[in-house]
Amino acid sequence: MPSKKFTAIVLAASRRGAQDPVAQMQGLSHKCLVTLNGVPMVQRVIDGLRGAKNVGRIFVSIENADILRTVPALAALLDKGEITAVQSEGNLAQSVYRAVGVINDPFPLVISTADNALHTPELVDYFCDEID
């Protein structure tokens, strides 16, 4: 287990906006909000990170926290302070750079996109264990 828990940044902003074909399939603004078996992909990623023993804090890079609030489970996590929204930028690299700049003591750091439905706590812990 790492000597210090990882900070997670989840990249959830829409780069294509209403033009994203995956989001369009479900009439959504963001690909990460697309549901698989009734659960939005971004929620799956956050659940995997929350269950990982190696992850301490979770920040979600997105245009506006209200987008996350459209998912009731994520609204509750925002309200409890279990996840924190940070303003996204024009591309992935700029969004990571901005998040690192506003997060107090962000390292060690693990970064994920929000449109990955395959994260499990075990996968996240294995990754963190191997890179520490």
Side-chain angles (χ1 to χ4, degrees):
M1 186 162 166
S3 55
K4 181 180 172 194
K5 289 194 177 202
F6 282 74
T7 298
I9 297 175
V10 179
L11 300 167
S14 179
R15 304 292 169 219
R16 295 187 185 172
Q19 302 304 313
D20 187 287
V22 176
Q24 283 181 339
M25 290 171 48
Q26 291 187 8
L28 299 166
S29 62
H30 288 63
K31 181 168 47 171
C32 69
L33 297 176
V34 168
T35 61
L36 302 171
N37 285 341
V39 180
M41 288 191 284
V42 64
Q43 183 179 338
R44 290 175 182 274
V45 170
I46 290 170
D47 287 347
L49 292 166
R50 288 182 67 232
K53 69 182 183 316
N54 290 332
V55 174
R57 301 175 296 159
I58 302 170
F59 293 83
V60 183
S61 176
I62 195 158
E63 299 92 335
N64 186 313
D66 289 342
I67 298 163
L68 296 174
R69 290 189 178 285
T70 65
V71 179
L74 300 184
L77 293 176
L78 284 164
D79 291 342
K80 291 189 237 174
E82 294 185 28
I83 62 173
T84 303
V86 294
Q87 181 65 46
S88 63
E89 292 293 337
N91 64 45
L92 296 174
Q94 291 170 337
S95 292
V96 169
Y97 186 75
R98 176 173 171 73
V100 167
V102 299
I103 297 169
N104 182 40
D105 193 23
F107 300 104
L109 182 67
V110 64
I111 302 165
S112 176
T113 58
D115 59 355
N116 183 335
L118 303 177
H119 286 350
T120 64
E122 296 79 15
L123 179 141
V124 173
D125 280 331
Y126 177 81
F127 181 82
C128 293
D129 285 339
E130 293 300 310
I131 64 169
D132 186 48

